[in-house]
Amino acid sequence: MSGAPGGRRPAFPGLPGELVLEEAAGARQRCGEGDGSVPGTLLCTNRRVAFLPAQAPGSRAFLHSEYDVALPCIRKLVAGKASSFAKPKVLTAASTLKFIPEELAVFCRDFRLLRFHFHENGLAPQAFRVANAIAQAREAAVWLGDTGEGHDGWSCLAEAPSEDEDEDEEEEEEEEEEGSAATLLFESLRDWEKELKRLGAAGWRVSAVNERFDMAPSLPRYLWVPSGLLDHDLKRTFAHFEERRVPRLCWHHPGGSDLLRAAGFHAASEPGSEDVRCLEALLLGGRGPCVLADTAELPTLADIQLAHLKLRALCLPGAAAEEKWLSALEGTRWLDHVRTCLRKAVEVASLLAGRRCSVLLQEPSDRDLNCLLASLVQLLGDPHARTLPGFQSLVQREWVAAGHPFPRRLGLLRRDSPREELVRQFPAAFGFTEAYLLALHDSSFAPYFSTFLFSCQRQRGRGSPHRPRSQTYTPVNGWRDPPPGVPRAGSVAGRLPAVWDWGLRYSRQQRARFRNPVGAAGSTGPPDAADPRPPGRPADAWPGLGAGNVFVLTKGTLSPQPFPWRSGRPPPRLSRWAPSLESLGERGGSPGGNRPPTSPPGLLLPCAAGPSVRLWRRCYLRGLPEAQRGRFAPSPAGLAEELTLLQDRLSAWQAAGPRAEAAGSPLAPSR
């Protein structure tokens, strides 16, 4: 598409290699159910669909987050005529538009719905051309992570100035005053060593056994493994796990427990005696009992995909009558899946905080639900993960570096809803806000950043003959220059900025809303060696259980299991660790289960009961006209009118009482 006839450079700050294919000056972006709209110019380029308001307030970010949509993010394009009863037409590259469109609806994969209106005063030819151009460009758009090919000029994007570059020095001082640490990208040995030191994980080391990706192509270059296990012995274990994804450390609890993750055991695995010795050292290592927490009781990827598709259909305007909306929401089973994942994370986090053991998260592929569980457990148990830089480092390690297949999952599997639920239940425990999570959700669909373009580190590094330089990122200084003599990476990822460069996409005012002013600062240093246990933490010892025992965690119950490759060993007696979640009122802290439970310092135990888990309205329902009021008021008088309508609506809800709000209607005001 970059070489399309008639393409020209845009007058606005364009992307490298971006060409305008068609435009419609005088188009209006519609909002709400009435005539509220804002005039401007609708453009179709070979990278995105962009709307330029005629009177944009102040300077705009280089990649505006509200008026732009990347072509791969467009799910459906619908053209219609408001002045007739003609049926709206879904536009594709192969379709033929037989009428002049008066309205154009862009349905996005991130749940946005952009609607444009073309007046009849001379806009007919432009409307026809721009609608067809968007349909053609959308079909021709490619996801850079799928091709693995570089694009000349994309390095300019990494160096593109944000809208407030002249205030960088002042912002840098503010960041230092706030104690903001750098976001670790986990592309370098130094990043892995730095984080391991912060965790204070004695008995673990950083292994470079997979530095060339020859042991496990989808695993990162560096792994956290037991210090007593040599790389020569570690190599014996890869063949016994699916996709060769061996157990490795994710997180170390200050009390001594360890969280590991791995793929499922290989069905055809027949290890010899030496291999069994290495596997025991990797899984057990004298660190206490090993608990296997598999994902068998969690929804499958197919279940999640189906629920997401039903949820997306339900969140469209007019999809269901208001009185039937709640039952339709439950019918999607989306909230059921959120509750199930939260329950499992609570079980694992409680076990790590209450007993000295190793918990192994096990999923057949280790690339989807393990990413979610490992992240949720650390958000529950590690205050540092609830800070802004800590959370970004967590995403880099447990999703990006761990090999989550973003290109295949985007648009099918969303990961943010359980995290948003934690922020809602514990607003003062997080250093970031719901606005930040929404920005992260939306940015995962934007192919302008390297973070979510690829399926693993190996794919990110293709085309580069050199090992990547140390990569730590700060919101102020951008990439840190490598030491003299260290070559720069030549891959596509090396020429694109990380998604954490929020200044390229969001204004200073928007970024200010990312930080929670009352959120906990978190701990960035290693735990106190003198007393590693938080106050009130139970004793480390497990009476009657040896360090070599293996258990399976299912709904709060520990069931004994022989070591997977050891035969003829009598299983130990059944030991129950704690009552099941059901007997604790879903850990709601009360018989009704409507309040977050009391937990030890540093540990969050969210309530997973039905009424406590709500839909992420700010994300999923923003395409509804009711959610867009006030965003594009054409004048101060129009804004005042919409404000009056919102106040009337709020009064009506207050008069209806708390039951209406607790029900979670799509039109209920979100808190």
Side-chain angles (χ1 to χ4, degrees), residues 415-432:
R415 306 166 303 281
D416 302 289
S417 185
R419 297 176 186 174
E420 186 274 334
E421 181 64 31
L422 293 180
V423 174
R424 188 189 65 80
Q425 291 195 26
F426 303 95
F430 291 83
F432 50 87

Side-chain angles (χ1 to χ4, degrees), residues 292-617:
L292 305 181
D294 61 33
T295 59
E297 58 193 83
L298 299 184
T300 65
L301 290 180
D303 294 335
I304 297 176
Q305 177 182 349
L306 179 60
H308 185 265
L309 292 176
K310 291 181 178 180
L311 176 66
R312 173 182 288 163
L314 180 63
C315 293
L316 295 176
E322 184 176 354
E323 62 272 12
K324 298 181 179 179
W325 198 89
L326 290 176
S327 58
L329 175 61
E330 287 299 321
T332 67
R333 302 208 62 194
W334 180 255
L335 295 182
D336 285 340
H337 298 336
V338 174
R339 297 180 190 112
T340 302
C341 293
L342 279 177
R343 290 190 189 103
K344 190 69 173 182
V346 166
E347 289 180 4
V348 175
S350 301
L351 181 58
L352 290 169
R355 297 290 187 268
R356 186 184 181 93
C357 62
S358 296
V359 177
L360 174 65
L361 301 177
Q362 211 168 14
E363 179 192 13
S365 68
D366 183 39
R367 302 182 69 177
D368 292 293
L369 292 174
N370 264 8
C371 299
L372 177 63
L373 282 179
S375 300
L376 287 176
V377 170
Q378 292 176 66
L379 284 172
L380 295 176
D382 189 354
H384 175 64
R386 302 194 286 267
T387 65
L388 190 65
F391 179 76
Q392 293 180 166
S393 298
L394 176 67
V395 173
Q396 281 287 153
R397 187 177 71 252
E398 300 300 344
W399 293 87
V400 180
H404 178 67
F406 287 102
R408 298 202 302 269
R409 298 290 186 260
L410 284 175
L412 303 178
L413 170 62
R414 298 299 337 133
R415 306 166 303 281
D416 302 289
S417 185
R419 297 176 186 174
E420 186 274 334
E421 181 64 31
L422 293 180
V423 174
R424 188 189 65 80
Q425 291 195 26
F426 303 95
F430 291 83
F432 50 87
T433 63
E434 183 185 354
Y436 168 81
L437 292 178
L438 187 63
L440 182 61
H441 170 276
D442 292 350
S443 297
S444 67
F445 293 95
Y448 316 131
F449 308 97
S450 63
T451 307
F452 303 125
L453 276 181
F454 306 95
S455 296
C456 59
Q457 281 190 353
R458 178 174 178 266
Q459 190 183 78
R460 288 167 57 85
R462 283 177 181 172
S464 172
H466 307 291
R467 285 183 296 178
R469 55 194 170 96
S470 176
Q471 291 181 313
T472 56
Y473 185 82
T474 59
V476 177
N477 296 328
W479 294 111
R480 294 179 180 174
D481 292 331
V486 177
R488 292 179 178 268
S491 64
V492 180
R495 295 197 296 272
L496 288 174
V499 75
W500 318 122
D501 194 348
W502 298 113
L504 290 176
R505 186 166 168 82
Y506 294 89
S507 66
R508 174 182 289 274
Q509 291 75 18
Q510 289 174 311
R511 301 199 309 272
R513 293 194 289 268
F514 288 177
R515 293 185 178 275
N516 184 3
V518 298
S523 173
T524 59
D528 188 355
D531 186 11
R533 293 178 298 180
R537 183 180 183 273
D540 287 339
W542 268 7
L545 300 181
N549 291 128
V550 179
F551 295 87
V552 176
L553 175 64
T554 305
K555 294 183 179 181
T557 299
L558 291 176
S559 303
Q561 173 176 307
F563 191 75
W565 292 280
R566 189 184 302 157
S567 59
R569 177 181 178 181
R573 189 177 61 179
L574 175 66
S575 173
R576 190 173 181 84
W577 146 64
S580 65
L581 293 181
E582 289 78 359
S583 65
L584 291 180
E586 298 295 303
R587 292 196 178 270
S590 65
N594 292 323
R595 296 196 307 269
T598 302
S599 56
L603 177 65
L604 304 181
L605 296 179
C607 180
S612 297
V613 177
R614 305 179 186 177
L615 186 69
W616 190 7
R617 299 174 187 149

